[in-house]
Amino acid sequence: MKFLKGLLVLAVFVLLLLGAIFWALPLKGSIPILMYHFVVPEKQVGPTSLDVSTTLFEQQMWFLKTFGFKPISLYELHAIKTDRQEATGREVAITFDDGNASYATYALPILEKFGFPSANFLVEESVLQELHGSMDLKTVKQIAANPIVTLGSHTRTHEVLTQMRLEKVVDEVMGSKLQLEKAIGREIHFFTYPTGQHDEEIVRLVEDAGYLLGFTSSRKYLHEKETLFSLTRYKINPNDNLASFWLKLAGITDLVQRLKYSFRY
Ligand SMILES: [Zn+2]
């Protein structure tokens, strides 16, 4: 009997401890930035690691709402990062790369249901030339008017910036901003590096072009000090369940990767 009582006390203690960890993480000040690409119905989920099913996406948004997370716009993220707004510790940012048509068709209606803001990073040529799979200009203009949508630039051509001449990098970074602003009729303040690859010079060009924040995705840069123009995001995979989603959200996946990295090098 005494043993059972002890076991019960221990179980309650462990549960309370886990609950406390669950609520305490992510730590105040570390705002998780989620990265998605394509949100599509279950039947359309392909072999690519970029597809997330609408079912999974809706569950993840439900999880954020249920556990008191507060999705914020990139403007709010910028205000917090530059100490003009105080963080509560429950903020999270939701971003999409590539301007795929599935954003307007499938992701946005779910985000609207929850009232969650998000950002989509457009590839200028894909939008203006109406390339297959991309949102066309008409759709982009429509969603740009939605207060929960922020649009950013993901360059002109989606080529890797570290593998091109400097003048071409300038054109990709600055040219895409100007062209998208002209076409959409709104200012573009945020930027993502194709495949996440960047270097110091490219980061400086992004800052000089007048962007407020720049985002990466590559885990290769974990050893570098994060700046406003090299913010790391957590890629959400097709096979993420709610547990692994929380581990990413809480910063635990990131911590493990950083530890692995520091042991290796
Ligand atoms: Zn991309």
Side-chain angles (χ1 to χ4, degrees):
M1 199 61 197
K2 213 172 169 187
F3 173 73
L4 272 179
K5 219 169 154 186
L7 206 63
L8 194 70
V9 170
L10 185 70
V12 170
F13 176 75
V14 168
L15 273 176
L16 283 175
L17 185 70
L18 287 175
I21 292 171
F22 188 77
W23 279 103
L25 292 173
L27 293 174
K28 203 172 167 180
S30 66
I31 300 173
I33 307 167
L34 310 180
M35 177 179 67
Y36 294 93
H37 284 78
F38 319 130
V39 172
V40 292
E42 201 92 54
K43 280 180 276 171
Q44 288 175 34
V45 172
T48 158
S49 74
L50 303 177
D51 287 351
V52 170
S53 78
T54 44
T55 315
L56 203 65
F57 183 69
E58 187 154 4
Q59 274 175 14
Q60 291 165 354
M61 297 305 108
W62 168 86
F63 183 92
L64 294 180
K65 183 135 213 147
T66 305
F67 293 100
F69 284 91
K70 182 179 174 268
I72 53 171
S73 74
L74 296 189
Y75 287 100
E76 284 175 276
L77 180 67
H78 180 250
I80 292 170
K81 293 272 180 199
T82 52
D83 295 326
R84 288 177 297 115
Q85 188 177 312
E86 216 188 313
T88 62
R90 302 305 282 176
E91 286 85 359
V92 53
I94 305 168
T95 71
F96 293 79
D97 274 4
D98 296 354
N100 191 263
S102 62
Y103 175 71
T105 315
Y106 301 115
L108 200 51
I110 296 171
L111 289 160
E112 268 180 322
K113 196 169 120 183
F114 288 91
F116 288 170
S118 68
N120 202 309
F121 293 90
L122 309 169
V123 179
E124 180 219 306
E125 282 190 2
S126 304
V127 175
L128 299 188
Q129 294 173 16
E130 304 196 354
L131 296 189
H132 177 73
S134 170
M135 287 189 279
D136 57 17
L137 186 58
K138 191 174 159 230
T139 310
V140 167
K141 279 183 170 171
Q142 259 166 18
I143 63 164
N146 190 330
I148 61 169
V149 174
T150 301
L151 295 172
S153 167
H154 193 35
T155 72
R156 297 189 89 147
T157 61
H158 202 281
E159 282 168 40
V160 176
L161 298 175
T162 48
Q163 290 167 11
M164 56 178 76
R165 291 176 290 115
L166 191 63
E167 308 92 84
K168 175 125 166 72
V169 179
V170 173
D171 187 45
E172 292 280 348
V173 171
M174 208 177 293
S176 64
K177 185 178 192 295
L178 296 174
Q179 290 303 320
L180 284 170
E181 285 176 343
K182 206 167 106 189
I184 305 166
R186 283 169 197 269
E187 280 195 72
I188 300 285
H189 287 126
F190 306 98
F191 184 84
T192 49
Y193 305 92
T195 72
Q197 298 189 66
H198 59 275
D199 58 33
E200 256 177 59
E201 194 163 35
I202 296 169
V203 167
R204 209 170 34 246
L205 285 175
V206 171
E207 188 172 1
D208 290 348
Y211 291 102
L212 298 175
L213 300 173
F215 300 85
T216 174
S217 51
S218 178
R219 315 305 300 171
K220 233 168 65 186
Y221 300 96
L222 282 176
H223 60 290
E224 282 181 11
K225 195 178 177 305
E226 205 177 60
T227 72
L228 289 183
F229 298 94
S230 60
L231 296 169
T232 316
R233 295 178 291 168
Y234 303 128
K235 179 171 176 282
I236 306 302
N237 294 314
N239 53 358
D240 270 322
N241 53 34
L242 288 182
S244 61
F245 181 68
W246 178 74
L247 288 176
K248 283 182 180 173
L249 207 57
I252 295 170
T253 308
D254 190 54
L255 182 74
V256 170
Q257 270 168 336
R258 278 172 203 273
L259 284 175
K260 260 197 216 160
Y261 188 91
S262 58
F263 277 124
R264 208 178 306 147
Y265 300 99

